[in-house]
Amino acid sequence: MNVAHLIDELATIDSYRRYGKINRVVGLLIESKGPSASVGDVCLIYIQSGRKKIMAEVVGFKDENILLMPYTSVAQIAPGCLVEATDKPLEVKVNEELLGQVCDSLGRPVSGMTFSKPTDSVPTNQEPPDPMSRPRITTPIELGIRSINGLLTVGKGQRVGIFAGSGVGKSTLMGMVARNTSADLNVIALIGERGREVREFLEKDLGPEGMKHSIVIVATSDQPALMRIKGAMVATAIAEYFRAKGKDVLLMMDSLTRVAMSQREIGLAIGEPPTTKGYPPSVFAMLPKLLERAGTDNNGTITAFYTVLVDGDDLDEPISDTARGILDGHIVLDRALAQKGQYPAVNLLKSVSRVMNEICSQEHLQAAQRFRTLLSQYTESEDLINIGAYKQGSSSAIDEAIHFHPKMLDFLRQSEKVRVTIKDSVNQLFHDFGQEMSTNGV
């Protein structure tokens, strides 16, 4: 043992504990005189004569006071409560034992499970990988959904948005992907969900099959805004940990919109000016930092799916527009298709995978483009066809689209209990549309 090295280490340790006192609480915001701390640091607030402490995070400064937001409610906080600085940001303990567990926003298993093996402490707020060191996306990932595998093929390390209004099938689609993916493990963040929907998703949509290789982070809508944001950060940090171990990770977050709304609450509380539709600038600074953390690095991959709620099915509202500009593709779930009984209700003509050209064969791309052209032709003429105004033989393109329409619907529809591989998806695409698949078609 190097005793001299230990003595040098002891000499550099700061043995002082720094405290401050709360002097004001306004809404979600706590104002404290001291201690010395940086933005993002965790502080401990002592309540009930010091017998209990709660965690809070430094979110800003006002004059010489620090502004804190607690990870719990402010109900028991009073003027004069002591605030202790920890001098470090929030970290989460991670190892392989988290698989199959449901965790809270701070990464703690809600079952009370204790780790039997050594854990690693991972900072929840990390910088994205250097863009020049990111490997290109070259390999497709198996998702088990025919319409996505065949027509919107997703690559390992791609980041995709699922855009939909409420009740159009986002949770069902996420459950199908989690059960059927070829990724090594899933990290699923349920942010701002109704309490009722959490257990429903775990038992009905995810099921035991999906749960056994998943880690689920839950931050329900009744929790403070900071806890909802931390749920998203913790889920991303856990995914980064396993990516660093060389794993192919599937990260799913439902929903990115509620993360943005939580940041809006915090931004407005600390005095930021509202800009685009009430969202302060910090929201549009936070989103790219969060989303860019997913993707590829030199060790492994994080393939990410983020659901985006579109109010009134408006795809041009600020969060949808921002997310679409950052992500590597988007899948739009259409309420009109869901009402017609098409599940999953993927609107192919409004959806795109930006890396599909890099990971699919030329024959596959041509077949997918032919499918898209036929569907577009039918959709444009659908009203004329339905009212009987179109006469067969008037247009060979429309006649062909009408002929293939039943097969297109059959290709796009899929029961949530059915798993379809990429190879089977492409084989059916070639078979149903009269083309022979080459030996290197996938």
Side-chain angles (χ1 to χ4, degrees), residues 148-183:
I148 299 177
N149 280 344
L151 303 169
L152 298 165
T153 313
V154 174
K156 289 182 180 179
Q158 186 174 350
R159 301 157 306 150
V160 182
I162 300 175
F163 292 74
S166 56
V168 187
K170 296 187 302 298
S171 297
T172 303
L173 185 68
M174 286 177 59
M176 290 176 70
V177 170
R179 292 193 306 271
N180 299 325
T181 181
S182 60

Side-chain angles (χ1 to χ4, degrees), residues 24-204:
R24 191 172 181 227
V25 176
V26 180
L28 305 173
L29 205 61
I30 300 167
E31 199 171 303
S32 170
K33 184 72 173 178
S36 176
S38 303
V39 171
D41 282 358
V42 173
C43 292
L44 303 176
I45 300 175
Y46 290 84
I47 58 178
Q48 295 180 354
S49 302
R51 291 191 297 271
K52 184 180 177 183
K53 56 188 177 183
I54 64 173
M55 297 170 70
E57 185 171 307
V58 180
V59 294
F61 303 95
K62 183 178 181 182
D63 299 326
E64 296 182 359
N65 294 338
I66 66 171
L67 304 178
L68 300 156
M69 277 197 173
Y71 291 152
T72 58
S73 71
V74 297
Q76 296 176 291
I77 297 173
C81 286
L82 286 179
V83 181
E84 180 186 353
T86 65
D87 296 325
K88 60 181 182 181
L90 180 68
E91 296 182 341
V92 59
K93 295 184 181 298
V94 191
N95 69 15
E96 288 77 5
E97 293 176 276
L98 276 182
L99 280 173
Q101 295 292 322
V102 179
C103 304
D104 65 10
S105 300
L106 304 182
R108 302 173 298 198
V110 298
S111 64
M113 182 271 290
T114 55
F115 295 99
S116 61
K117 299 177 182 178
T119 60
D120 294 308
S121 292
V122 181
T124 59
N125 197 0
Q126 302 186 62
E127 290 297 317
D130 178 8
M132 297 306 295
S133 67
R134 284 185 185 265
R136 292 177 60 186
I137 298 170
T138 57
T139 309
I141 186 170
E142 181 65 70
L143 299 175
I145 300 174
R146 187 190 301 111
S147 57
I148 299 177
N149 280 344
L151 303 169
L152 298 165
T153 313
V154 174
K156 289 182 180 179
Q158 186 174 350
R159 301 157 306 150
V160 182
I162 300 175
F163 292 74
S166 56
V168 187
K170 296 187 302 298
S171 297
T172 303
L173 185 68
M174 286 177 59
M176 290 176 70
V177 170
R179 292 193 306 271
N180 299 325
T181 181
S182 60
D184 296 319
L185 72 150
N186 308 318
V187 180
I188 304 171
L190 304 178
I191 309 299
E193 288 282 352
R194 304 175 187 89
R196 173 189 63 81
E197 292 179 332
V198 172
R199 191 161 181 179
E200 186 177 295
F201 175 80
L202 294 175
E203 296 180 1
K204 175 179 173 288

Side-chain angles (χ1 to χ4, degrees), residues 240-283:
E240 288 170 324
Y241 170 83
F242 285 103
R243 177 178 64 185
K245 298 283 187 182
K247 303 287 189 182
D248 292 321
V249 184
L250 182 69
L251 171 65
M252 290 189 283
M253 192 175 295
D254 185 14
S255 72
L256 188 66
T257 305
R258 295 192 181 109
V259 175
M261 289 178 173
S262 302
Q263 181 62 39
R264 177 171 65 180
E265 286 184 42
I266 293 173
L268 294 176
I270 63 177
E272 281 191 77
T275 53
T276 310
K277 290 197 175 179
Y279 287 98
S282 62
V283 173

